[in-house]
Amino acid sequence: MASTLSSARPHPLQRLNDEEILKAKDILAKSHDSGESLLFRFTYLEEPKREELVKYLAAEHQVGNTATLPNLPRMVKFVYDVIKGPGEHTLADAVVDIDSGEVVHKQTHPTESQAGYAPFEFAQFQETCANSDMFKEALKEFELPENFTITIDPWPYGGLDPDEAVPRYMQGLVFARDTSKDNLDANHYGYPIPLIPVMDFNKKELIRIDRLATGGKGDPLEPAAASATPKKLFANAKSAEYVPELLDDRPLRTDMKPINITQPDGASFTVEDSSLVSWQKWRFRVGFSPREGAVLHDLCYDNRPIFYRMSFSEMTVPYGDPRPPFHRKQAFDFGDGGAGRSANNLGLGCDCLGAIHYFDAWDTDPEGKPTLSKNVVCLHEQDAGIGWKHTNFRTSRAVVTQLRELVVQFIITLANYEYIFAYKLDTAGNITLETRATGIVSVVSIDEGKTSGYGNIVAPGVLAQNHQHIFAARLDPMVDSYDEGETAVVLEESHPMPTIDPLTNPYGNGYEIRRTPLDMAAFADAEPKLNRVVRLENRSNKNEISGKNVGYKFTPSATQLLLAHPDSTQAKRAPFAQHHLWVTGHRDGELWAAGEFTNQSRAEVGGVKAMVERGDWFAKDGEASNGNAAGGEGKLSTPVVWSVFGLTHNPRVEDWPVMPVEVHQVHIRPADFFTSNPALDIPSTKNETSVLVSGSSSCCDTKDKKADAQQEDPVSHMQGSGPDVKPKDIGSGGKDKDKKRLTSILSGVFGKKE
Amino acid sequence: MASTLSSARPHPLQRLNDEEILKAKDILAKSHDSGESLLFRFTYLEEPKREELVKYLAAEHQVGNTATLPNLPRMVKFVYDVIKGPGEHTLADAVVDIDSGEVVHKQTHPTESQAGYAPFEFAQFQETCANSDMFKEALKEFELPENFTITIDPWPYGGLDPDEAVPRYMQGLVFARDTSKDNLDANHYGYPIPLIPVMDFNKKELIRIDRLATGGKGDPLEPAAASATPKKLFANAKSAEYVPELLDDRPLRTDMKPINITQPDGASFTVEDSSLVSWQKWRFRVGFSPREGAVLHDLCYDNRPIFYRMSFSEMTVPYGDPRPPFHRKQAFDFGDGGAGRSANNLGLGCDCLGAIHYFDAWDTDPEGKPTLSKNVVCLHEQDAGIGWKHTNFRTSRAVVTQLRELVVQFIITLANYEYIFAYKLDTAGNITLETRATGIVSVVSIDEGKTSGYGNIVAPGVLAQNHQHIFAARLDPMVDSYDEGETAVVLEESHPMPTIDPLTNPYGNGYEIRRTPLDMAAFADAEPKLNRVVRLENRSNKNEISGKNVGYKFTPSATQLLLAHPDSTQAKRAPFAQHHLWVTGHRDGELWAAGEFTNQSRAEVGGVKAMVERGDWFAKDGEASNGNAAGGEGKLSTPVVWSVFGLTHNPRVEDWPVMPVEVHQVHIRPADFFTSNPALDIPSTKNETSVLVSGSSSCCDTKDKKADAQQEDPVSHMQGSGPDVKPKDIGSGGKDKDKKRLTSILSGVFGKKE
C-alpha cells in the first residue's frame, strides 16, 4: 500500500521494517568480538523517550504532518545471548541507533535473568526428549494402545524452588496421539501421560523426568511407586477430536444458515503509512512488539489525545493443583513466551467478518535476520446493536442509532491455549479492552474412575486442573494535552450520606461522590460496593458545560485476584496479580507488570510493586508533601495505570475439547471529556437489508415520516399517548386521538397555539 | 402466520388473544352488580399452577405435541377498579376461567395498595395540570423566553412520607419547549422549570405544587422564597436537540459507510404457534405481560429443560438528591408503570439488523376491550465473533468457529428514559440477560453558573441528578428434569488453601472449591474476591463424564447496591435492591421482587425479603432440619433465584441530550450440563463475503486445504513451528522446515512412522 505520509524516514512510532532490523543487527554484531556469536531472542522498536515524543506528536498534530518536523532517532532494541563457546551464554540487551550507527546502550544480565523462550528452543526441547534414553526408559512404565505415538508440549519451567540453582530449563507435558486416524490433527490432549521431562539448555539434555501423581480425592500428593508391569493407559479413554473431519459421532450441524456482513461502500476507516488509522474522529497508530502483540499509540479523538500508549502487558496463569511439580505450572504468557511472537496469521473470512485490513510485523530469527509475520493484527468495523434511542411519547417519534465499533484484534496460540485480544473503539467515544480465552484447557492424567478436588474430569482419565488467568493491561494516559504533567488519576466513589439529618439529608436518600486524587504511586482494589471508578483527568482543562476536569474513566474489574498463598513462589512471582489497580510513575521502557524477566523467576523484579514502592509523585506543581520519604528513588512523574483482571477457571466439561470463549471487557469511557453525547451526529438510517421473518408487518410503514434520515416507528404505551378512552366516571374530555392534542392542551397554559 | 400446532385451543403458555380477553371481561362484568362499573388496569394470562404445568410440559416433550394431552384451564387475571360512584374506587383483582365461564378468584385491596398507572391516567394528569388555576398561578413565578410552551412529564408519586395518607397521587416534572422551531420533537428536557405539581386522582385536581430548590453547592436544601418579579429562565440555556433535522450546529456525520447484515437463506429459527421458538437445539415459548414485557417459558436445550420461566421482574430508580421532594423520585418501572405496557412498537431495519421476527401482544383498554400492541418483541440472530478457536502449532492447522446468538428483545420508554432488555441464547449453550440503559437522563433546574454535589451540569441551568438503576431478574430453574424437587441451588467459591503444609499444600499454590448447598430460602451478595458462583443443579442427574450434578451457573454481578439509608423510605420500599441474590421458595403467581404493589408504597410488601423470611426449604427428601423454625409459613418448595444488579448513574455530560447505551450482562452458562463443548459441531465455514481492505493478502490462500468445511490458516509462531534455524552452537539438527518433522521425530520414540 502506498502511504501518503511515508517518506524515506519512518514515523517514530512506525513498526520496524526489515531494512532497519538488518542494519541494526549488523551494527550490533560489529560491536562484539569476533569470538562471540550472537543469538537473537527478541527485537523491539526502541520507542523515543516520552518527553521527546510527546513534543513531536504535539507538533505533528498542530502541523498536520511530519514533513517539517525534526527527526527523532530510529532505534532497535535487541535481547540476545552472547555466546563465547558451547554452553557459555550470557544474556544481554542492546539499543542500536540506526541513524548514527552506534550502539547507544548495552548491558549483560546475571544468570537468574532468563529471557522468554524463543521458538527454536521449543523445537530443541522436543528433539532432546525424542533422543533421550532417560525419557524412553521412563515411558516403559506405561503401556499404550496400539497405534499411539508420543507428543510433547513444551512448557515454561515455572518458578524455581527455593533450593534450585537453574541455568535455563524447560519442562514438557507428555501426551499420546492416535495415529490410526491417519490425521496429524487428531487431538493428543485427550491422552495425557503422567510424566514431565525437564531439560537443561546448557547441557542440552534431559536432567530429570518427574513422575506425576494420578490419584483422586483422598490419595497422597506424591505419585505411586511404579509397578513391575507396565500400567495400561487409555483403556476407556474417549477421543477429544475437534477438527471437523474427525467428528465421527457428532456430525457438523447443517441448520445454521449464513449471516453475511457486507460493506458495499467499503470500510469507513483509512490506514496510512502502514500504521496510522483514522476512523470516525478516532486516530491512532498500530504498533506491534514480539512480547505485547498489538499496541496502540497516540490515541486521539477529534485531534485531542487520550492515551499516549495502550497495551496488554502481562498475564500469569497459575495452577491450583498442590501436587508437585504442578506448582511449577505457572506461565507468564507475555514474559515467558511472547504474546506478539505467538500471534496467529489471520485469514480473511476466518476470524472476523466484513471489510478487513491486516497488519504485518517484522521479527527476527535467532541469527538476527528479519522474518515477516504476516497478518498478525486485523482491523475491522462491526455493528454493536443500538447505540442510543429515544421515543417522544407525545409524538411517537423515535430516533434510534446503531453503535459501531472499530476492532483491533490479535490472537495468540500458546501450545494448548488461545487468547483473543482486542481494542475496541466506538462511536460513543468508548474504548473497550477485550480478552477472550479459548483453546484447549491444560490437562493431566488421572486414574480412570477417580475424581479430584484439584480440577474436573473432562474425559475418562483426563483431569483439567483448576487455574487462574490474571491479566494486566497498561494504560499510559495523556488526557487532552501533549503537555507533560497534565494528567491526573482520581479515585471516585459513591457513598451513602451517613445519617438522616434535617439539614443535609432529611429523608435519607442522599448520597455523595467522594474523590481521592492520587498524588503518589499507589495500588488499590476494585470496590464495587463503593462504585469505585478510576478517572483519568486533565488537571487544567475544564469541561465548559459541567466545569469539571475533562477526563476518561473506567471501573476496575472486580475479579478474583491471585489465590496462591502469599509466601508461595507463585505469589512472589506475581505481586501484580494481587491488586486490581496499580498507578505508577512513568519511566521510559517500563512496560512489564511482572518485570522484564519472568521466565524461571523466583520473584517479581522490576514489576508494578517495585514501581509503586519507589514513591514517584504526580503533583503538577512540584513535590508532593512526602514525595521523597518513600525511599529516595521517587521523582515527579506522569502516572501510568495498570488494570488487572482475571478469570478463576475451574474447568467445566463444556470446556472440552476446545472451550467456548470466556469474554472479559474493561470499558474506558469519556467522563466530561465531551460537551455532549459524541454519537449524537450518527445518522439514524433505516437499514434497508433487514427482512421480515414469518409475516410480521413493520410498523414503520404505518407512521408519518418526519425526515428522510430517520424512522419514527415506536410508540410508548405508557404516557398518555394511548387511546384516551374514558370510563364512565373519569372526568371530561373527548375521544380525540390526535397525538398533538396533549401538546396543544398544555400550550394553552401560555396561550401559545401551534 | 398459520401455525402448525395451533388448534381451537391455545397452548397453556400461549399469550392471550383478543377473543379470550373479551370473553373473560364479559364473565367478570356479569359477576359484578349493575351499579358497579369496572376500570381495567392490567390484564394477564393467569398461568397454570407450576405443579400442573410441569406435568403437561413433560408430557408435551415426551409426546412431541399437545394434541392428545388433557386440557389445562385458560385463565385471565384482571387488575381493575370497582367504581361505585365518582371517586369511589376499590382496587380488585380477579381470575376468570374462560372454559368454565367462572370467576375462580376475586379479591379487593386496601387503599394503600395502588396498582401501577394506566396510560389514561397520564393523559388525565396532564389535562388536570393544563386546566389548573393553581398551576397557572405557580407558573407566574417565572418568565420564559418568547415562543416557549409548557410540557409536563408524568411521574409516579414515589414513596409516601411517614405522615402522608394518600389515596392516589401523581407528580409531574415541568419543562418548556421552544415552539419557534416548529417541531413537536424539539427537546423540552433542555428547559426544566422548578415546579412539581401533585394531583389527587380521587379529587381530580391538583392538591399541591412543590417549588424546587435550584441552588448549588453550599445552598440550602429548601427553595428560595419567590421573588416579587418573575424569575427569568433560560437566559443562557442551550438547546438539547437530538432529532436529526434540528442538529443545526452539528450536522450528521457522512463518513460512516453502511454495514449490511444479510441472511440469504433466511433465519435459522422457526416460530410456531405464534410463540414456540426453535433454534439451534434451543426451544422455548415467548410470553408477554403488561408488567414484565417478554418472558421466556419452558426453556430447553436438546429437549432438556433448564428454566421453567425467566423474566425481568422489577427495577427501582432511586434518586440521590437529598433536597425534598426529590426523595420521592424513586420509580419502580415494572410495578409503577408496567414495562410490557411501555414497550415500543419495533420497526424493521430500525432497532436490529438481519432477518427479524416480531411478536405482538394483546392488552386491554380501560373498558376492558382488547387492544393490539404490535411488534412489541423482536427475535433475530446475530454473529457474536469468535466462538472457539484452536491452532495446532505442529501442523499450523487452525479451526475457528463463530459464536451465534439468538436475541429476544424488547425496548421500553418511560417518559424521558429507555431500557433495552434482551435474552440472548447462543450456540455454546449460554444464556445472557442483557440490559441497555439509554434515553434522556432526568434533569431539574439549577441556577445558571452553579454546580452541585447532587448531580452534574449537562447544559447551562440543567442538573442531571445522581441516581441508581437496580434491576431484579427472576430465574425459575427446572434443571434437566420436569420432576419437581430436583432443582438445587449451590453457592460455590474458590478459596486459597490456608497454609503451606507439606501434606496438603507443600508449595502454597493450592486452592480449593467450596460448595454450600442452599437448603433454605436465603439471600447473599456477590463476592468476587471468593469467585462466588451460583450453581443451579439437578439433584439426581450426574454428568456422565465428570460425575458432578448437571447444572447451569452464573456469577452474581458485583454492582453497587442501594445507597439510600436503611431507615429511609427509599430503602424500605426496596429491600430487594439491597442484596445481589435472593433464593426463595416457589409460589404460583409470585413474580415481583418488590411485591405486587410498588406504587406509592411505604415499604416492600410481599417482595423477596418476605419470601425469604417465611423460611421455605428445598431439601428433596422431606424437611430441612430447621425448616419450620423460621415462622411456620415455610414449606417444601422448589427454589426461585433472583439476580439483582445495577448501575450507579452519576451522569456524564456525554449522557446529554440522549445517553449512549450503558450495557449490563448476566451470563448464565452450562456447568457440566453437557458432556462436551455444545458448540463443537458448529461448522467452521469460511465467510465468503468478507473482503480485504488496502491490499493486505489473505494467508488462507497460501496454506493447504484440509477439508472443505474449514480453514486452517494461522500458525502460532511460538512452539517449534517457526523456522528451525540453528545458531552456531545449538546442538544438531537440520534445517528441515517440514511442519511434520517434529511429529515424526517424536513418533520415533515408539517406533511409529506416519
Side-chain angles (χ1 to χ4, degrees):
Chain A
M1 182 192 61
S3 162
T4 56
L5 289 184
S6 73
S7 59
R9 187 170 187 81
H11 186 277
L13 287 169
Q14 177 58 291
R15 301 186 301 285
L16 290 173
N17 64 39
D18 49 346
E19 286 176 30
E20 291 178 316
I21 291 173
L22 208 53
K23 195 171 167 188
K25 188 211 84 169
D26 290 342
I27 294 166
L28 179 66
K30 281 185 200 143
S31 79
H32 279 274
D33 292 345
S34 59
E36 296 171 335
S37 68
L38 308 185
L39 190 166
F40 289 84
R41 292 185 173 278
F42 285 89
T43 301
Y44 300 92
L45 169 70
E46 174 79 1
E47 297 166 20
K49 288 184 196 309
R50 194 185 198 279
E51 64 174 345
E52 290 167 17
L53 185 54
V54 290
K55 287 177 196 154
Y56 183 98
L57 296 173
E60 176 185 352
H61 283 267
Q62 203 160 29
V63 175
N65 66 62
T66 59
T68 62
L69 301 181
N71 291 336
L72 288 180
R74 287 288 285 178
M75 298 192 289
V76 182
K77 177 179 176 181
F78 293 107
V79 178
Y80 62 108
D81 285 3
V82 181
I83 305 171
K84 296 197 175 168
E88 284 184 73
H89 289 232
T90 305
L91 183 65
D93 69 70
V95 175
V96 176
D97 183 327
I98 305 172
D99 299 306
S100 69
E102 284 177 12
V103 177
V104 296
H105 165 88
K106 194 193 280 183
Q107 69 180 332
T108 59
H109 299 282
T111 315
E112 59 265 28
S113 297
Q114 293 286 349
Y117 295 110
F120 76 85
E121 292 178 303
F122 293 102
Q124 197 171 46
F125 172 72
Q126 295 186 68
E127 283 182 51
T128 303
C129 291
N131 295 328
S132 162
D133 290 334
M134 187 195 287
F135 187 54
K136 285 175 192 161
E137 188 62 30
L139 283 168
K140 286 182 182 164
E141 188 183 336
F142 306 102
E143 183 185 335
L144 271 56
E146 266 196 283
N147 301 315
F148 276 69
T149 186
I150 296 297
T151 299
I152 306 174
D153 267 27
W155 263 69
Y157 185 65
L160 300 187
D161 294 342
D163 54 348
E164 281 189 301
V166 169
R168 187 170 180 83
Y169 277 7
M170 177 173 275
Q171 63 180 338
L173 298 188
V174 182
F175 301 90
R177 185 168 56 77
D178 183 355
T179 62
S180 70
K181 298 191 176 174
D182 196 24
N183 188 319
L184 290 175
D185 290 298
N187 188 0
H188 60 279
Y189 295 107
Y191 305 102
I193 295 174
L195 294 176
I196 290 187
V198 176
M199 173 186 168
D200 178 336
F201 275 102
N202 274 20
K203 294 186 180 163
K204 304 274 179 300
E205 62 187 31
L206 296 191
I207 51 100
R208 192 173 84 231
I209 295 175
D210 291 335
R211 296 175 64 253
L212 305 180
T214 59
K217 283 177 183 161
D219 288 333
L221 301 196
E222 293 73 36
S227 66
T229 53
K231 182 178 180 181
K232 276 197 184 184
L233 294 181
F234 317 136
N236 300 300
K238 197 179 154 207
S239 72
E241 305 307 346
Y242 64 92
V243 297
E245 70 271 22
L246 293 178
L247 295 178
D248 295 335
D249 57 344
R250 194 168 167 195
L252 292 178
R253 58 179 83 179
T254 56
D255 59 348
M256 219 167 92
K257 297 176 181 171
I259 291 182
N260 291 331
I261 296 175
T262 55
Q263 300 186 250
D265 300 340
S268 312
F269 58 78
T270 60
V271 181
E272 297 171 273
D273 204 18
S274 306
S275 65
L276 178 63
V277 179
S278 302
W279 177 78
Q280 298 298 309
K281 306 184 191 178
W282 289 102
R283 181 189 193 270
F284 58 94
R285 289 206 178 249
V286 176
F288 192 88
S289 90
R291 182 151 166 172
E292 298 157 292
V295 175
L296 302 197
H297 298 280
D298 190 21
L299 180 61
C300 298
Y301 192 99
D302 247 352
N303 223 28
R304 297 167 67 191
I306 303 167
F307 285 99
Y308 175 78
R309 193 180 195 280
M310 182 177 277
S311 58
F312 294 96
S313 172
E314 192 51 272
M315 170 182 18
T316 188
V317 186
Y319 281 72
D321 187 335
R323 297 173 298 173
F326 296 133
H327 62 293
R328 282 199 275 94
K329 280 182 82 171
Q330 182 189 22
F332 287 77
D333 289 325
F334 288 58
D336 292 358
R341 183 169 273 169
S342 308
N344 293 180
N345 306 109
L346 303 170
L348 188 66
C350 308
D351 299 286
C352 40
L353 310 179
I356 321 290
H357 178 87
Y358 294 99
F359 295 94
D360 303 332
W362 286 96
D363 197 359
T364 44
D365 71 11
E367 293 175 333
K369 286 182 197 150
T371 58
L372 184 62
S373 304
K374 285 288 290 178
N375 292 7
V376 283
V377 181
C378 67
L379 178 75
H380 75 286
E381 293 172 272
Q382 61 191 27
D383 178 79
I386 293 174
W388 57 265
K389 179 173 187 177
H390 181 60
T391 300
N392 183 347
F393 70 81
R394 290 172 178 79
T395 64
S396 303
R397 165 102 178 251
V399 181
V400 52
T401 70
Q402 297 290 116
L403 185 66
R404 190 173 295 191
E405 296 174 328
L406 184 71
V407 185
V408 180
Q409 179 176 272
F410 64 103
I411 304 174
I412 67 174
T413 296
L414 298 151
N416 52 296
Y417 215 64
E418 261 80 10
Y419 297 94
I420 303 166
F421 293 95
Y423 305 91
K424 293 180 170 181
L425 312 175
D426 72 30
T427 45
N430 302 312
I431 304 163
T432 298
L433 302 177
E434 182 180 281
T435 57
R436 293 184 177 216
T438 181
I440 299 180
V441 290
S442 182
V443 296
V444 294
S445 194
I446 183 169
D447 303 335
E448 284 182 15
K450 291 184 177 174
T451 59
S452 172
Y454 309 136
N456 203 15
I457 309 299
V458 294
V462 181
L463 178 69
Q465 292 163 305
N466 298 333
H467 60 283
Q468 299 186 279
H469 306 257
I470 304 184
F471 300 81
R474 182 180 181 278
L475 308 173
D476 190 344
M478 182 172 60
V479 180
D480 203 30
S481 172
Y482 287 99
D483 294 341
E484 287 290 56
E486 287 293 350
T487 297
V489 179
V490 179
L491 298 189
E492 189 179 273
E493 299 170 350
S494 296
H495 288 261
M497 292 188 186
T499 55
I500 298 182
D501 178 307
L503 286 181
T504 57
N505 189 25
Y507 291 92
N509 65 306
Y511 73 85
E512 59 195 13
I513 297 173
R514 295 189 195 160
R515 287 167 53 89
T516 308
L518 295 185
D519 294 329
M520 288 194 62
F523 61 83
D525 287 337
E527 199 46 272
K529 286 177 185 166
L530 305 176
N531 196 40
R532 182 174 289 167
V533 168
V534 180
R535 292 180 72 108
L536 311 173
E537 298 183 350
N538 187 292
R539 294 175 187 275
S540 306
N541 298 358
K542 308 287 183 193
N543 185 295
E544 68 179 67
I545 302 292
S546 70
K548 293 184 177 161
N549 297 84
V550 300
Y552 263 70
K553 70 176 179 182
F554 70 97
T555 301
S557 302
T559 54
Q560 190 168 39
L561 293 165
L562 192 78
L563 281 164
H565 192 284
D567 294 337
S568 68
T569 300
Q570 278 194 358
K572 287 178 184 164
R573 299 179 81 200
F576 90 86
Q578 297 169 45
H579 294 291
H580 293 112
L581 181 75
W582 300 84
V583 183
T584 64
H586 181 279
R587 306 285 169 100
D588 289 309
E590 228 174 41
L591 301 173
W592 316 119
E596 184 172 3
F597 299 113
T598 60
N599 198 1
Q600 293 184 190
S601 66
R602 274 182 226 279
E604 184 180 293
V605 175
V608 285
K609 181 164 182 274
M611 297 177 207
V612 164
E613 283 172 350
R614 75 182 165 225
D616 292 338
W617 66 94
F618 310 129
K620 185 188 175 188
D621 48 357
E623 306 209 17
S625 55
N626 57 350
N628 260 332
E633 277 186 277
K635 64 176 187 177
L636 178 64
S637 306
T638 185
V640 173
V641 174
W642 310 71
S643 172
V644 173
F645 51 91
L647 161 66
T648 295
H649 188 184
N650 305 330
R652 312 172 297 160
V653 176
E654 287 82 359
D655 293 333
W656 191 251
V658 184
M659 72 176 272
V661 287
E662 184 93 39
V663 184
H664 184 85
Q665 295 185 327
V666 178
H667 299 282
I668 307 169
R669 315 193 79 193
D672 291 15
F673 191 80
F674 300 102
T675 53
S676 68
N677 177 357
L680 194 62
D681 57 354
I682 301 289
S684 49
T685 315
K686 179 172 173 176
N687 181 273
E688 299 294 346
T689 60
S690 294
V691 297
L692 273 183
V693 177
S694 308
S696 298
S697 67
S698 165
C699 75
C700 286
D701 305 335
T702 63
K703 304 287 171 190
D704 298 328
K705 299 287 185 227
K706 282 264 168 57
D708 290 338
Q710 63 166 82
Q711 331 73 27
E712 50 196 315
D713 47 303
V715 54
S716 158
H717 300 259
M718 183 172 173
Q719 289 91 353
S721 63
D724 298 312
V725 181
K726 305 291 161 200
K728 298 171 203 163
D729 78 321
I730 302 185
S732 60
K735 299 217 174 204
D736 179 7
K737 293 193 179 187
D738 178 0
K739 294 230 164 69
K740 295 177 184 172
R741 192 178 56 88
L742 283 172
T743 311
S744 303
I745 290 168
L746 293 167
S747 300
V749 173
F750 274 94
K752 183 72 49 197
K753 293 281 176 192
E754 298 177 275
Chain B
M1 183 191 59
S3 162
T4 56
L5 289 184
S6 73
S7 60
R9 187 168 188 82
H11 185 277
L13 288 169
Q14 177 58 291
R15 301 185 301 285
L16 291 173
N17 63 41
D18 49 346
E19 287 175 30
E20 291 178 315
I21 291 172
L22 208 53
K23 194 170 169 190
K25 187 211 83 169
D26 289 342
I27 295 166
L28 179 66
K30 281 183 199 143
S31 78
H32 279 273
D33 291 345
S34 60
E36 297 171 335
S37 68
L38 308 185
L39 190 166
F40 289 85
R41 292 187 173 278
F42 285 89
T43 301
Y44 300 91
L45 169 70
E46 175 77 1
E47 297 166 20
K49 289 184 196 308
R50 194 186 198 278
E51 63 175 344
E52 289 167 18
L53 185 54
V54 289
K55 286 175 196 154
Y56 184 98
L57 296 174
E60 176 185 353
H61 283 267
Q62 202 159 29
V63 174
N65 65 62
T66 59
T68 62
L69 301 181
N71 290 338
L72 289 181
R74 287 287 287 179
M75 298 191 289
V76 181
K77 177 179 176 180
F78 293 107
V79 179
Y80 62 108
D81 285 4
V82 181
I83 307 171
K84 296 195 175 170
E88 285 185 73
H89 288 233
T90 305
L91 182 65
D93 68 72
V95 175
V96 176
D97 183 326
I98 305 172
D99 299 306
S100 70
E102 284 177 11
V103 177
V104 295
H105 165 89
K106 194 193 280 183
Q107 70 180 333
T108 58
H109 299 282
T111 315
E112 58 266 29
S113 296
Q114 292 286 348
Y117 294 109
F120 76 86
E121 291 178 304
F122 294 102
Q124 198 172 46
F125 171 73
Q126 295 186 66
E127 283 183 50
T128 304
C129 291
N131 296 326
S132 161
D133 290 336
M134 187 195 288
F135 186 54
K136 285 175 192 160
E137 188 62 30
L139 282 168
K140 287 182 181 162
E141 188 183 336
F142 306 102
E143 184 185 333
L144 272 56
E146 265 196 283
N147 300 316
F148 276 69
T149 185
I150 297 295
T151 299
I152 306 174
D153 268 26
W155 263 70
Y157 185 64
L160 299 187
D161 294 342
D163 55 348
E164 280 188 301
V166 169
R168 188 170 179 84
Y169 277 7
M170 177 173 275
Q171 63 180 339
L173 298 188
V174 182
F175 301 89
R177 186 167 56 75
D178 183 354
T179 62
S180 69
K181 297 189 176 175
D182 197 24
N183 188 319
L184 290 175
D185 290 298
N187 188 0
H188 60 279
Y189 296 107
Y191 306 102
I193 295 174
L195 293 176
I196 289 188
V198 176
M199 173 186 168
D200 178 335
F201 275 101
N202 275 19
K203 296 185 180 165
K204 302 274 178 303
E205 61 188 31
L206 296 191
I207 51 100
R208 192 174 83 233
I209 294 175
D210 291 334
R211 297 176 63 253
L212 306 180
T214 59
K217 283 177 183 160
D219 287 334
L221 302 195
E222 292 73 36
S227 66
T229 54
K231 182 179 180 181
K232 277 197 182 183
L233 294 180
F234 317 135
N236 299 301
K238 198 180 153 205
S239 72
E241 306 306 346
Y242 64 93
V243 297
E245 70 272 22
L246 292 178
L247 294 178
D248 295 335
D249 56 345
R250 195 169 167 194
L252 292 177
R253 57 179 82 178
T254 56
D255 58 349
M256 219 167 93
K257 297 177 181 170
I259 290 181
N260 291 332
I261 296 175
T262 56
Q263 299 185 250
D265 301 339
S268 312
F269 59 78
T270 60
V271 182
E272 296 170 273
D273 204 18
S274 306
S275 66
L276 177 63
V277 179
S278 303
W279 176 79
Q280 298 297 309
K281 306 184 189 178
W282 290 101
R283 180 188 192 272
F284 58 95
R285 290 206 179 250
V286 176
F288 191 88
S289 91
R291 182 152 165 172
E292 299 158 291
V295 175
L296 303 196
H297 298 281
D298 190 21
L299 180 61
C300 299
Y301 192 100
D302 246 352
N303 223 28
R304 298 167 65 192
I306 304 167
F307 285 98
Y308 175 77
R309 194 180 195 280
M310 182 177 276
S311 58
F312 294 96
S313 171
E314 191 51 272
M315 170 182 19
T316 188
V317 186
Y319 281 73
D321 187 334
R323 298 173 298 174
F326 295 133
H327 61 294
R328 283 199 274 93
K329 280 182 83 171
Q330 181 188 21
F332 287 77
D333 290 324
F334 287 58
D336 292 359
R341 183 169 272 168
S342 309
N344 293 180
N345 305 109
L346 303 171
L348 188 66
C350 307
D351 299 286
C352 38
L353 310 180
I356 320 290
H357 178 87
Y358 294 98
F359 296 93
D360 302 334
W362 286 96
D363 198 359
T364 44
D365 72 10
E367 293 175 333
K369 286 184 197 147
T371 58
L372 184 62
S373 304
K374 286 288 291 177
N375 292 7
V376 282
V377 181
C378 67
L379 177 75
H380 75 287
E381 294 171 273
Q382 62 191 26
D383 178 80
I386 292 175
W388 57 265
K389 180 173 187 178
H390 181 59
T391 301
N392 182 348
F393 70 81
R394 291 173 178 78
T395 63
S396 303
R397 166 100 178 253
V399 181
V400 52
T401 71
Q402 297 291 115
L403 186 67
R404 191 175 294 191
E405 296 174 329
L406 183 72
V407 185
V408 180
Q409 179 175 273
F410 64 102
I411 305 175
I412 67 173
T413 297
L414 298 151
N416 52 297
Y417 215 64
E418 262 78 11
Y419 298 94
I420 303 166
F421 292 96
Y423 306 91
K424 294 180 170 180
L425 312 175
D426 72 30
T427 44
N430 302 311
I431 304 163
T432 299
L433 303 177
E434 183 180 281
T435 57
R436 293 183 178 218
T438 181
I440 299 180
V441 290
S442 181
V443 295
V444 293
S445 193
I446 184 169
D447 302 336
E448 284 183 15
K450 292 184 178 174
T451 60
S452 171
Y454 309 135
N456 202 17
I457 308 300
V458 293
V462 182
L463 178 70
Q465 292 162 305
N466 299 333
H467 60 284
Q468 299 186 278
H469 306 257
I470 304 186
F471 300 82
R474 182 180 181 278
L475 308 174
D476 190 343
M478 182 174 59
V479 180
D480 203 29
S481 172
Y482 287 98
D483 293 341
E484 287 288 57
E486 287 292 350
T487 297
V489 180
V490 179
L491 298 188
E492 189 179 273
E493 299 170 349
S494 297
H495 287 261
M497 292 188 186
T499 55
I500 298 183
D501 177 306
L503 287 180
T504 57
N505 189 25
Y507 291 92
N509 65 305
Y511 74 85
E512 59 196 13
I513 298 174
R514 295 189 196 160
R515 286 167 56 88
T516 308
L518 294 184
D519 294 329
M520 288 194 62
F523 61 83
D525 287 337
E527 199 45 274
K529 285 177 185 167
L530 304 177
N531 197 40
R532 183 175 288 167
V533 168
V534 180
R535 292 179 74 107
L536 312 172
E537 298 183 351
N538 186 291
R539 293 175 187 275
S540 306
N541 298 357
K542 308 287 184 193
N543 185 294
E544 66 178 69
I545 302 291
S546 70
K548 293 184 177 161
N549 297 83
V550 300
Y552 264 71
K553 69 176 181 183
F554 70 96
T555 301
S557 302
T559 53
Q560 190 167 39
L561 293 165
L562 193 77
L563 281 164
H565 192 284
D567 294 337
S568 68
T569 300
Q570 278 195 358
K572 287 178 184 163
R573 301 179 81 200
F576 91 86
Q578 296 169 46
H579 294 290
H580 293 112
L581 181 75
W582 301 84
V583 182
T584 64
H586 181 279
R587 305 286 169 99
D588 289 310
E590 227 174 42
L591 301 173
W592 316 120
E596 183 171 4
F597 300 112
T598 60
N599 198 2
Q600 292 184 191
S601 66
R602 275 182 226 279
E604 184 181 292
V605 175
V608 285
K609 182 163 182 274
M611 298 177 207
V612 164
E613 283 171 351
R614 74 182 167 228
D616 292 339
W617 65 96
F618 311 129
K620 186 190 175 187
D621 47 359
E623 305 210 17
S625 56
N626 57 350
N628 260 333
E633 276 186 276
K635 65 175 186 178
L636 178 63
S637 306
T638 186
V640 173
V641 174
W642 311 72
S643 172
V644 173
F645 52 90
L647 162 66
T648 296
H649 189 183
N650 305 329
R652 312 172 295 160
V653 176
E654 286 83 358
D655 293 333
W656 192 252
V658 184
M659 71 175 273
V661 287
E662 184 94 37
V663 184
H664 184 84
Q665 295 185 327
V666 178
H667 299 283
I668 306 169
R669 314 193 80 194
D672 291 14
F673 191 80
F674 300 103
T675 53
S676 66
N677 176 358
L680 194 62
D681 58 355
I682 301 290
S684 48
T685 315
K686 180 171 172 176
N687 181 274
E688 299 295 345
T689 60
S690 293
V691 296
L692 273 183
V693 177
S694 306
S696 298
S697 67
S698 163
C699 75
C700 287
D701 304 335
T702 64
K703 304 286 173 191
D704 298 329
K705 298 288 184 225
K706 283 263 167 56
D708 290 337
Q710 64 164 84
Q711 332 72 27
E712 49 194 319
D713 47 301
V715 53
S716 158
H717 300 260
M718 182 173 173
Q719 289 91 355
S721 64
D724 298 311
V725 180
K726 306 290 161 201
K728 296 173 205 163
D729 77 320
I730 302 185
S732 60
K735 299 216 174 207
D736 179 7
K737 292 191 179 189
D738 178 2
K739 293 229 164 71
K740 296 177 185 173
R741 192 177 57 89
L742 283 172
T743 310
S744 303
I745 290 169
L746 292 166
S747 300
V749 173
F750 274 94
K752 183 74 43 198
K753 292 282 175 195
E754 301 177 274

